[in-house]
């Protein structure tokens, strides 16, 4: 199993920046899809960004150009740098990981964002970001 603990959420004004961190334990992250989802009450969890073991990244259209995902494998930590924050970015940001089948690493981008629970995803508890 993988345990995920997020930090860095806060209340900020529109235009501000935050950096979220996700520390993992239980297994190394260099063989996993790692990413962030956003949870808003009464709304389905929304994919934000993914990073894979080779450093490839993808972003939702809503955050592209404003958010940057990065990872430090030595520290088993994934980051989400959030710039130019907007009120619509408000929500609980949940760190997640899933291990793709060998040879199907592309599923980190093609399947995981839409159907994370079909890949045995591990979830953190979330960290709240409020933009006003």
């Amino acid at each position: 199993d993988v345990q995920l603990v997020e930090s860095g959420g806060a209340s900020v004004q529109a235009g501000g920046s935050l950096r979220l961190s996700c520390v993992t334990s239980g297994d190394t992250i260099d063989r996993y899809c790692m990413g962030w989802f956003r949870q808003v009450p009464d709304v389905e969890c929304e994919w934000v960004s993914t990073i894979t073991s080779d450093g490839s990244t993808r972003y939702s259209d809503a955050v592209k150009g404003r958010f940057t995902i990065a990872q430090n494998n030595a520290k088993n930590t994934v980051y989400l740098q959030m710039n130019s924050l907007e009120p619509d970015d408000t929500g609980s940001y949940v760190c997640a990981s899933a291990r793709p089948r060998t040879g199907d690493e592309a599923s980190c981008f093609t399947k995981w964002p839409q159907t994370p629970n079909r890949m045995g995803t591990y979830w953190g508890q979330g960290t709240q970001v409020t933009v006003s």
Side-chain angles (χ1 to χ4, degrees), residues 87-132:
D88 283 348
D89 296 322
T90 294
S92 177
Y93 282 74
V94 184
C95 181
S97 68
R99 187 169 179 178
R101 294 180 181 179
T102 300
D104 193 24
E105 288 78 10
S107 63
C108 290
F109 298 128
T110 59
K111 299 177 184 177
W112 195 48
Q114 288 76 37
T115 54
N117 287 325
R118 293 187 182 179
M119 290 180 60
T121 294
Y122 297 98
W123 300 96
Q125 293 298 310
T127 184
Q128 180 67 31
V129 172
T130 303
V131 186
S132 60

Side-chain angles (χ1 to χ4, degrees), residues 34-114:
M34 297 296 303
W36 294 89
F37 291 74
R38 184 173 67 97
Q39 180 68 60
V40 178
D42 301 324
V43 177
E44 187 173 349
C45 200
E46 176 187 44
W47 170 73
V48 174
S49 182
T50 299
I51 188 167
T52 56
S53 58
D54 66 355
S56 298
T57 60
R58 296 290 189 277
Y59 301 92
S60 69
D61 289 343
V63 307
K64 195 176 297 181
R66 299 187 298 120
F67 291 9
T68 303
I69 190 170
Q71 64 184 8
N72 184 326
N73 289 344
K75 295 184 178 181
N76 272 5
T77 302
V78 177
Y79 305 96
L80 185 68
Q81 178 66 44
M82 311 167 72
N83 296 329
S84 301
L85 282 161
E86 304 169 353
D88 283 348
D89 296 322
T90 294
S92 177
Y93 282 74
V94 184
C95 181
S97 68
R99 187 169 179 178
R101 294 180 181 179
T102 300
D104 193 24
E105 288 78 10
S107 63
C108 290
F109 298 128
T110 59
K111 299 177 184 177
W112 195 48
Q114 288 76 37

Side-chain angles (χ1 to χ4, degrees), residues 4-44:
L4 307 158
V5 179
E6 305 96 331
S7 63
S11 295
V12 297
Q13 291 189 337
S17 297
L18 286 173
R19 187 173 87 153
L20 308 183
S21 298
C22 171
V23 179
T24 70
S25 60
D27 199 355
T28 57
I29 64 174
D30 60 352
R31 295 170 292 177
Y32 284 77
C33 317
M34 297 296 303
W36 294 89
F37 291 74
R38 184 173 67 97
Q39 180 68 60
V40 178
D42 301 324
V43 177
E44 187 173 349

